[in-house]
Amino acid sequence: MPAHQRLSVFIIDDDGMTRNLLRVIIQGDQYDVVGDAGTAEAARLRLLSLRADIICLDVVMPDGNGLELLNWISEKQPAAAVLMVTASTDRSTVEQSLRNGAKGYIVKPFNPGTVMNTLDKIAAQIHAQRIAGKA
């Protein structure tokens, strides 16, 4: 895969301002935000027909738990890398997220540099996996 190929990103967060802020930070030369959802149910529906390389996922949502959704995403889109973006800082949530396959964890409030640095690390892993898969 060419290094310059953009990766697709899907954002799941119940707060519209957070979704918009993440979109503004992420959308650019390296990443294409292909959609977002404000609830767990909306995310499930959208992700049944939409593939994303990276999924930014909140933990606390009005209709579900991001940790449960993480497991669903791992089953339905195993190639997607999940980045937790949440205000949840308790140790058990962080550990469970990473144990269940999240590739990164960003705590709100976040800054653009933290978001992009974490995305770039995940993107490097994705590119390396794709190159290794072609060998």
Side-chain angles (χ1 to χ4, degrees):
M1 177 175 137
H4 65 275
Q5 187 170 350
R6 293 159 40 118
L7 294 176
S8 59
V9 179
F10 189 85
I11 300 166
I12 306 168
D13 197 295
D14 62 322
D15 184 74
M17 285 180 36
T18 300
R19 289 194 311 273
N20 290 336
L21 179 58
L22 283 169
R23 181 182 293 275
V24 168
I25 292 170
I26 296 169
Q27 184 70 44
D29 292 338
Q30 291 181 281
Y31 304 102
D32 184 24
V33 177
V34 295
D36 63 57
T39 65
E41 184 59 27
R44 284 185 185 96
L45 290 172
R46 298 281 317 273
L47 290 172
L48 285 174
S49 61
L50 178 76
R51 294 283 175 243
D53 297 306
I54 301 170
I55 299 172
C56 296
L57 175 60
D58 191 8
V59 172
V60 179
M61 288 178 279
D63 67 335
N65 178 308
L67 296 174
E68 293 169 2
L69 191 53
L70 172 61
N71 292 332
W72 184 89
I73 291 167
S74 296
E75 180 183 313
K76 300 295 183 186
Q77 290 202 28
V82 177
L83 169 60
M84 305 304 289
V85 182
T86 181
S88 299
T89 59
D90 64 281
R91 185 181 182 116
S92 65
T93 301
V94 175
E95 288 176 351
Q96 186 175 353
S97 297
L98 297 173
R99 189 172 48 248
N100 291 354
K103 301 299 183 197
Y105 201 99
I106 295 176
V107 177
K108 297 176 190 174
F110 50 77
N111 65 55
T114 300
V115 172
M116 292 308 294
N117 287 341
T118 306
L119 279 177
D120 290 345
K121 287 177 186 173
I122 292 171
Q125 293 172 358
I126 291 170
H127 290 304
Q129 289 171 347
R130 290 181 179 174
I131 290 169
K134 290 185 177 184

